[in-house]
Amino acid sequence: MSDSQRFPVAAHALAYLAHKGAYAPAQAAPSAELAASVPTNPVVIRRVTAMLARAGLIATRSGASGGSWLLRKPENIRLDEVLRAVNGCAHLGSPPAGAKGCPIGEHIPRQVAKALTAADQAAADALSKVTIADLLAEQPASLAGIKVPARVPA
């Protein structure tokens, strides 16, 4: 799975667990069930849920009766935490090294890196205002006025 897909898959999985009411091992959602909702392969879900578990957002149990469940209420899980949990970023890329001895080649990569850092921080700041509960709500205040790009299914 590409780095750019980990965050949307993680947010979707957490929202699914919240919708299902999976707050204890007895309500755990198996990776195949989560994968069917995304839709993706259960292996992709297991990789993402392992990262979410390491971050303390969910717990997992392997085996035939295994699955994932939330460790916190959805209103207490901010999307910036989810982004960090899956090692996400704004995915704007990274500057090339630049040519040694060239005044532009030695200067521009540092400046581009600063701009990318600023963009990553802006994305994290925006995501810190949105929770998993907001994703499940019909008209959350945190997402009011945000237009969805035409390529995203309604």
Side-chain angles (χ1 to χ4, degrees):
M1 165 185 25
S2 71
D3 289 351
S4 64
Q5 289 302 304
R6 279 196 306 249
F7 172 70
V9 168
H12 186 119
L14 291 167
Y16 185 88
L17 293 172
H19 172 75
K20 183 179 166 126
Y23 295 101
Q27 294 96 25
S31 56
E33 185 179 323
L34 288 169
S37 177
V38 171
T40 191
N41 188 296
V43 172
V44 169
I45 293 296
R46 285 191 288 275
R47 286 182 186 143
V48 168
T49 55
M51 296 173 97
L52 295 171
R54 279 192 297 275
L57 299 174
I58 66 170
T60 62
R61 179 178 59 202
S62 59
S65 62
S68 302
W69 62 95
L70 294 172
L71 293 176
R72 292 170 30 199
K73 297 211 176 288
E75 58 271 13
N76 295 327
I77 301 173
R78 297 183 331 268
L79 294 188
D80 64 319
E81 296 175 281
V82 178
L83 185 70
R84 279 192 308 276
V86 296
N87 301 318
C89 67
H91 296 293
L92 297 175
S94 57
K100 294 285 183 199
C102 173
I104 297 302
E106 290 180 350
H107 175 73
I108 294 302
R110 280 191 308 278
Q111 300 305 85
V112 170
K114 289 178 188 177
L116 292 174
T117 299
D120 282 345
Q121 187 58 53
D125 291 346
L127 292 172
S128 73
K129 297 173 177 77
V130 183
T131 67
I132 295 299
D134 292 333
L135 298 182
L136 295 169
E138 203 56 43
Q139 298 291 329
S142 64
L143 298 173
I146 306 294
K147 302 287 185 217
V148 176
R151 68 183 185 278
V152 176

